[in-house]
Amino acid sequence: MVIEKVSEITDEIFNAVTKLVPQLGPHKVPPTREELKTLLRSDASTLLIARYPDEKSEIAGILSLTIYRVPTGGRSIVEDVIVDEAMRRRGIAEALMLYAIDLAREGGADVMTLSSNHTREAANKLYQSMGFQKRDTNSYIYKLK
């Protein structure tokens, strides 16, 4: 398995993201090519891809990592961990997460957060097995668009 940081949006990457994002749920709309380019231009954000089983294979999964600083320390957040339905249960999500943890640590983050829908049982088990702790907090969202 190979994990790579995306440095440019190729047709292959755009097509993979377009295929993978709806697998999070029917309400999830894939980003445009320009939105992906904006993600890559951000110094705080990193898009990772996983190829399985080797570097010549198709993209099997993605992960988005953001590292940022607040007055109380360095933070990181993982979003959109998506492994193709046909490629699950092969350690791809865990490999993406371990790579992201290393990047966050190197980037000065003290903690990493993520959220996962309670219905995504396998994902939640994975995160807990990796040492993520379920937080007893209120999570809020304010839609700007």
Side-chain angles (χ1 to χ4, degrees):
M1 179 174 341
V2 176
I3 308 297
E4 303 170 20
K5 287 170 69 169
V6 175
S7 59
E8 68 176 303
I9 303 302
T10 63
D11 287 342
E12 178 195 25
I13 290 169
F14 178 72
N15 291 335
V17 171
T18 299
K19 175 185 175 186
L20 291 168
V21 167
Q23 293 183 33
L24 281 177
H27 61 288
K28 297 293 184 180
V29 179
T32 64
R33 189 179 293 268
E34 193 55 41
E35 288 169 330
L36 285 174
K37 288 179 181 178
T38 299
L39 175 97
L40 292 189
R41 283 193 298 266
S42 169
D43 290 335
S45 298
T46 302
L47 180 63
L48 300 178
I49 60 170
R51 296 178 185 279
Y52 183 90
D54 58 39
E55 70 277 353
K56 294 180 181 167
S57 301
E58 290 185 17
I59 296 169
I62 61 172
L63 178 151
S64 179
L65 171 69
T66 302
I67 303 170
Y68 58 100
R69 178 81 195 178
V70 295
T72 56
R75 302 286 190 267
S76 62
I77 187 166
V78 168
E79 296 276 352
D80 298 339
V81 180
I82 314 167
V83 175
D84 191 292
E85 292 167 338
M87 301 297 287
R88 293 184 182 162
R89 304 239 183 251
R90 299 174 194 204
I92 297 168
E94 183 175 18
L96 283 163
M97 289 296 299
L98 290 171
Y99 196 97
I101 288 168
D102 286 344
L103 287 178
R105 192 175 282 125
E106 291 168 11
D110 301 315
V111 296
M112 176 179 280
T113 60
L114 59 82
S115 63
S116 183
N117 189 301
H118 64 91
T119 62
R120 302 184 72 78
E121 293 178 20
N124 284 293
K125 285 180 183 176
L126 169 65
Y127 302 139
Q128 290 175 22
S129 76
M130 294 182 73
F132 284 82
Q133 300 170 3
K134 190 172 179 183
R135 294 171 46 182
D136 185 23
T137 187
N138 296 327
S139 180
Y140 299 96
I141 188 168
Y142 185 86
K143 298 211 177 202
L144 299 170
K145 289 185 181 182

Coordinates of all heavy atoms in Angstrom, one line a residue, residues 53-108:
P53 N -2.9 -2.4 -4.2 CA -1.9 -2.7 -3.2 C -0.5 -2.1 -3.4 O 0.3 -2.2 -2.5 CB -1.7 -4.3 -3.4 CG -2.0 -4.5 -4.9 CD -3.1 -3.4 -5.2
D54 N -0.3 -1.4 -4.5 CA 1.0 -0.8 -4.7 C 0.9 0.6 -5.5 O -0.2 1.0 -5.8 CB 2.0 -1.7 -5.5 CG 1.4 -2.1 -6.9 OD1 0.8 -1.3 -7.6 OD2 1.6 -3.3 -7.3
E55 N 2.0 1.2 -5.7 CA 2.0 2.6 -6.3 C 1.4 2.6 -7.7 O 1.1 3.7 -8.2 CB 3.4 3.1 -6.3 CG 4.4 2.5 -7.3 CD 5.1 1.2 -6.8 OE1 4.9 0.9 -5.6 OE2 5.8 0.6 -7.6
K56 N 1.3 1.5 -8.4 CA 0.7 1.5 -9.7 C -0.8 1.3 -9.7 O -1.5 1.3 -10.8 CB 1.4 0.5 -10.6 CG 2.9 0.8 -10.8 CD 3.6 -0.2 -11.7 CE 5.0 0.3 -11.8 NZ 5.9 -0.7 -12.4
S57 N -1.4 1.0 -8.5 CA -2.8 0.7 -8.4 C -3.6 2.0 -8.4 O -3.2 3.1 -8.3 CB -3.0 0.0 -7.1 OG -2.2 -1.2 -7.0
E58 N -4.9 1.7 -8.6 CA -5.9 2.8 -8.6 C -6.0 3.4 -7.2 O -5.6 2.8 -6.2 CB -7.3 2.3 -9.0 CG -7.4 2.0 -10.5 CD -8.8 1.6 -10.9 OE1 -9.7 1.9 -10.1 OE2 -8.9 1.0 -11.9
I59 N -6.5 4.6 -7.1 CA -6.7 5.3 -5.8 C -7.9 4.5 -5.1 O -9.0 4.4 -5.6 CB -7.0 6.8 -6.0 CG1 -5.8 7.5 -6.6 CG2 -7.4 7.4 -4.6 CD1 -6.1 8.9 -7.0
A60 N -7.6 4.1 -3.9 CA -8.6 3.3 -3.1 C -9.2 4.1 -2.0 O -10.2 3.7 -1.4 CB -7.9 2.0 -2.6
G61 N -8.5 5.2 -1.6 CA -9.1 6.0 -0.5 C -8.5 7.3 -0.4 O -7.4 7.6 -1.0
I62 N -9.1 8.2 0.4 CA -8.7 9.6 0.6 C -8.9 10.0 2.0 O -9.6 9.4 2.8 CB -9.4 10.6 -0.4 CG1 -10.9 10.6 -0.1 CG2 -9.1 10.3 -1.8 CD1 -11.6 11.8 -0.8
L63 N -8.2 11.1 2.4 CA -8.3 11.6 3.7 C -7.9 13.1 3.6 O -6.9 13.4 2.9 CB -7.4 10.9 4.7 CG -7.3 11.4 6.2 CD1 -7.0 10.3 7.1 CD2 -6.3 12.5 6.3
S64 N -8.6 14.0 4.3 CA -8.3 15.4 4.3 C -7.8 15.7 5.8 O -8.5 15.4 6.7 CB -9.5 16.2 4.0 OG -9.1 17.6 4.0
L65 N -6.7 16.4 5.9 CA -6.1 16.8 7.2 C -5.9 18.3 7.2 O -5.3 18.9 6.2 CB -4.7 16.1 7.3 CG -3.9 16.5 8.5 CD1 -4.5 16.1 9.8 CD2 -2.5 15.9 8.4
T66 N -6.3 18.9 8.3 CA -6.0 20.3 8.5 C -5.2 20.5 9.8 O -5.6 19.9 10.8 CB -7.3 21.1 8.5 OG1 -8.1 20.9 7.3 CG2 -7.1 22.6 8.7
I67 N -4.2 21.2 9.7 CA -3.3 21.5 10.9 C -3.4 23.1 11.1 O -3.1 23.8 10.1 CB -1.9 21.1 10.7 CG1 -1.9 19.5 10.4 CG2 -1.0 21.4 11.9 CD1 -0.5 19.0 9.9
Y68 N -3.7 23.5 12.3 CA -3.8 24.9 12.6 C -3.4 25.2 14.0 O -3.3 24.3 14.9 CB -5.2 25.4 12.3 CG -6.3 24.7 13.0 CD1 -6.8 25.3 14.2 CD2 -6.7 23.4 12.6 CE1 -7.8 24.6 14.9 CE2 -7.7 22.8 13.3 CZ -8.3 23.4 14.5 OH -9.2 22.7 15.2
R69 N -3.2 26.5 14.3 CA -2.8 26.9 15.6 C -3.9 27.8 16.2 O -4.5 28.6 15.5 CB -1.5 27.8 15.5 CG -1.0 28.4 16.7 CD -0.2 27.3 17.5 NE 0.0 27.8 18.8 CZ 0.6 27.2 19.8 NH1 1.1 26.0 19.5 NH2 0.8 27.7 21.0
V70 N -4.1 27.6 17.5 CA -5.1 28.4 18.3 C -4.3 28.9 19.5 O -3.2 28.3 19.8 CB -6.4 27.7 18.6 CG1 -7.2 27.3 17.4 CG2 -6.0 26.4 19.4
P71 N -4.8 29.8 20.3 CA -4.0 30.3 21.4 C -3.6 29.2 22.4 O -2.6 29.3 23.1 CB -5.0 31.3 22.1 CG -5.8 31.9 20.9 CD -6.0 30.7 20.0
T72 N -4.4 28.1 22.5 CA -4.2 27.1 23.5 C -3.3 25.9 22.9 O -3.1 24.9 23.6 CB -5.5 26.6 24.0 OG1 -6.3 26.1 23.0 CG2 -6.2 27.6 24.8
G73 N -2.9 26.0 21.7 CA -2.0 25.0 21.2 C -2.2 24.7 19.7 O -3.0 25.3 19.0
G74 N -1.4 23.7 19.2 CA -1.6 23.2 17.9 C -2.7 22.2 17.7 O -2.8 21.3 18.6
R75 N -3.5 22.3 16.7 CA -4.6 21.4 16.5 C -4.5 20.8 15.1 O -3.9 21.3 14.2 CB -5.9 22.1 16.7 CG -6.1 22.8 18.0 CD -6.4 21.8 19.1 NE -6.9 22.5 20.3 CZ -6.0 22.9 21.3 NH1 -4.7 22.7 21.2 NH2 -6.5 23.5 22.3
S76 N -5.2 19.6 15.0 CA -5.4 19.0 13.7 C -6.7 18.4 13.7 O -7.3 17.9 14.7 CB -4.3 18.0 13.4 OG -4.3 17.0 14.3
I77 N -7.3 18.3 12.5 CA -8.6 17.7 12.3 C -8.6 16.9 11.0 O -8.1 17.3 10.0 CB -9.8 18.7 12.3 CG1 -11.1 18.0 12.3 CG2 -9.6 19.8 11.2 CD1 -12.3 18.9 12.6
V78 N -9.2 15.7 11.1 CA -9.3 14.8 10.0 C -10.7 14.9 9.5 O -11.7 14.8 10.3 CB -8.9 13.4 10.4 CG1 -9.3 12.4 9.3 CG2 -7.4 13.3 10.7
E79 N -10.9 14.9 8.2 CA -12.2 14.9 7.6 C -12.2 14.0 6.4 O -11.2 13.8 5.8 CB -12.6 16.4 7.1 CG -12.7 17.4 8.2 CD -14.1 17.4 8.9 OE1 -15.0 16.7 8.4 OE2 -14.2 18.1 9.9
D80 N -13.4 13.6 6.0 CA -13.6 12.8 4.8 C -12.6 11.7 4.6 O -11.9 11.6 3.6 CB -13.5 13.8 3.6 CG -14.6 14.9 3.6 OD1 -15.6 14.6 4.3 OD2 -14.5 15.9 3.0
V81 N -12.6 10.8 5.6 CA -11.8 9.6 5.4 C -12.7 8.6 4.6 O -13.8 8.2 5.1 CB -11.5 8.9 6.8 CG1 -10.7 7.6 6.5 CG2 -10.7 9.9 7.6
I82 N -12.4 8.3 3.4 CA -13.2 7.5 2.5 C -12.4 6.5 1.8 O -11.4 6.8 1.2 CB -13.9 8.4 1.4 CG1 -14.5 9.7 2.0 CG2 -15.0 7.6 0.7 CD1 -14.9 10.7 0.9
V83 N -12.8 5.2 2.0 CA -12.2 4.1 1.3 C -13.3 3.5 0.4 O -14.4 3.3 0.8 CB -11.7 3.0 2.3 CG1 -11.2 1.8 1.6 CG2 -10.6 3.6 3.2
D84 N -12.9 3.3 -0.8 CA -13.9 2.7 -1.8 C -14.5 1.4 -1.2 O -13.9 0.6 -0.6 CB -13.1 2.3 -3.1 CG -14.1 2.0 -4.2 OD1 -14.7 0.9 -4.1 OD2 -14.1 2.8 -5.2
E85 N -15.8 1.4 -1.4 CA -16.6 0.3 -0.8 C -16.0 -1.1 -1.2 O -16.1 -2.0 -0.4 CB -18.1 0.4 -1.2 CG -18.8 1.6 -0.6 CD -20.1 1.9 -1.3 OE1 -20.3 1.5 -2.5 OE2 -20.9 2.5 -0.6
A86 N -15.5 -1.2 -2.4 CA -15.0 -2.5 -2.9 C -13.6 -2.8 -2.3 O -13.1 -3.9 -2.5 CB -14.9 -2.4 -4.4
M87 N -13.0 -1.8 -1.6 CA -11.6 -2.0 -1.1 C -11.5 -2.0 0.4 O -10.4 -2.0 1.0 CB -10.7 -0.9 -1.7 CG -10.7 -0.9 -3.2 SD -10.0 -2.3 -3.9 CE -8.3 -2.1 -3.4
R88 N -12.6 -2.0 1.1 CA -12.6 -1.9 2.6 C -12.1 -3.2 3.2 O -12.1 -4.2 2.6 CB -14.0 -1.6 3.1 CG -14.4 -0.1 2.6 CD -15.7 0.3 3.1 NE -15.9 1.7 2.6 CZ -17.1 2.3 2.5 NH1 -18.2 1.7 3.0 NH2 -17.2 3.5 2.0
R89 N -11.8 -3.1 4.5 CA -11.3 -4.2 5.3 C -9.9 -4.7 4.9 O -9.6 -5.8 5.0 CB -12.3 -5.3 5.4 CG -13.7 -4.9 5.9 CD -14.0 -5.6 7.1 NE -15.4 -5.3 7.5 CZ -15.6 -4.5 8.6 NH1 -14.7 -4.1 9.4 NH2 -16.9 -4.3 9.0
R90 N -9.1 -3.7 4.4 CA -7.7 -4.1 4.0 C -6.7 -3.2 4.6 O -5.5 -3.3 4.3 CB -7.6 -4.0 2.4 CG -8.6 -4.9 1.7 CD -8.6 -4.7 0.2 NE -9.7 -5.3 -0.3 CZ -9.8 -5.7 -1.6 NH1 -8.8 -5.5 -2.4 NH2 -10.9 -6.3 -2.0
G91 N -7.1 -2.5 5.6 CA -6.2 -1.6 6.4 C -5.9 -0.3 5.7 O -5.0 0.4 6.2
I92 N -6.7 0.1 4.7 CA -6.4 1.3 4.0 C -6.7 2.6 4.9 O -5.9 3.5 4.9 CB -7.2 1.4 2.7 CG1 -6.7 0.2 1.8 CG2 -7.1 2.7 2.0 CD1 -7.6 -0.1 0.6
A93 N -7.9 2.6 5.5 CA -8.2 3.7 6.4 C -7.2 3.9 7.5 O -6.8 5.0 7.8 CB -9.6 3.5 7.0
E94 N -6.8 2.8 8.1 CA -5.8 2.8 9.2 C -4.5 3.4 8.7 O -3.8 4.2 9.3 CB -5.6 1.5 9.8 CG -4.6 1.5 11.0 CD -4.5 0.1 11.7 OE1 -4.9 -0.9 11.1 OE2 -4.0 0.2 12.8
A95 N -4.0 3.0 7.5 CA -2.8 3.5 6.9 C -2.9 5.0 6.7 O -2.0 5.7 6.9 CB -2.5 2.7 5.6
L96 N -4.0 5.4 6.1 CA -4.3 6.9 5.9 C -4.2 7.6 7.2 O -3.6 8.7 7.3 CB -5.6 7.1 5.2 CG -5.7 6.8 3.7 CD1 -7.1 6.7 3.3 CD2 -5.0 7.9 2.9
M97 N -4.8 7.1 8.3 CA -4.9 7.7 9.6 C -3.5 7.8 10.2 O -3.1 8.8 10.7 CB -5.8 7.0 10.5 CG -7.3 7.1 10.2 SD -7.9 8.9 10.3 CE -7.6 9.2 12.1
L98 N -2.7 6.7 10.1 CA -1.4 6.7 10.7 C -0.5 7.7 10.0 O 0.3 8.4 10.6 CB -0.7 5.3 10.6 CG -1.4 4.3 11.5 CD1 -0.8 2.9 11.2 CD2 -1.1 4.6 13.0
Y99 N -0.6 7.9 8.7 CA 0.2 8.8 7.9 C -0.3 10.3 8.4 O 0.6 11.1 8.6 CB -0.1 8.6 6.4 CG 0.9 9.3 5.5 CD1 2.0 8.6 5.0 CD2 0.8 10.7 5.2 CE1 2.9 9.2 4.1 CE2 1.7 11.3 4.3 CZ 2.7 10.6 3.8 OH 3.6 11.2 3.0
A100 N -1.6 10.5 8.5 CA -2.1 11.8 8.9 C -1.6 12.1 10.4 O -1.2 13.3 10.6 CB -3.6 11.8 8.9
I101 N -1.6 11.1 11.2 CA -1.1 11.4 12.6 C 0.4 11.8 12.6 O 0.8 12.8 13.3 CB -1.3 10.1 13.5 CG1 -2.8 9.9 13.8 CG2 -0.5 10.2 14.8 CD1 -3.1 8.5 14.4
D102 N 1.2 11.2 11.8 CA 2.6 11.6 11.6 C 2.7 13.0 11.1 O 3.5 13.8 11.6 CB 3.4 10.6 10.7 CG 3.7 9.3 11.4 OD1 3.5 9.2 12.6 OD2 4.0 8.3 10.7
L103 N 1.9 13.3 10.1 CA 2.0 14.7 9.5 C 1.6 15.7 10.6 O 2.2 16.8 10.6 CB 1.1 14.8 8.3 CG 1.6 14.1 7.0 CD1 0.5 14.3 5.9 CD2 2.9 14.7 6.6
A104 N 0.5 15.4 11.3 CA 0.0 16.4 12.3 C 1.1 16.6 13.4 O 1.3 17.7 13.8 CB -1.3 15.8 12.9
R105 N 1.7 15.5 13.8 CA 2.7 15.6 14.8 C 3.9 16.4 14.3 O 4.4 17.4 15.0 CB 3.2 14.2 15.2 CG 4.1 14.1 16.5 CD 4.4 12.7 16.9 NE 3.3 12.1 17.5 CZ 2.7 10.9 17.2 NH1 3.1 10.3 16.1 NH2 1.7 10.5 17.8
E106 N 4.3 16.2 13.1 CA 5.4 16.9 12.5 C 5.0 18.4 12.3 O 5.9 19.3 12.3 CB 5.8 16.4 11.1 CG 6.4 15.0 11.2 CD 6.5 14.3 9.8 OE1 6.2 15.0 8.8 OE2 6.8 13.1 9.7
G107 N 3.7 18.7 12.1 CA 3.2 20.0 11.9 C 3.0 20.8 13.2 O 2.5 21.9 13.1
G108 N 3.3 20.2 14.3 CA 3.2 20.9 15.6 C 1.8 20.7 16.3 O 1.6 21.4 17.3

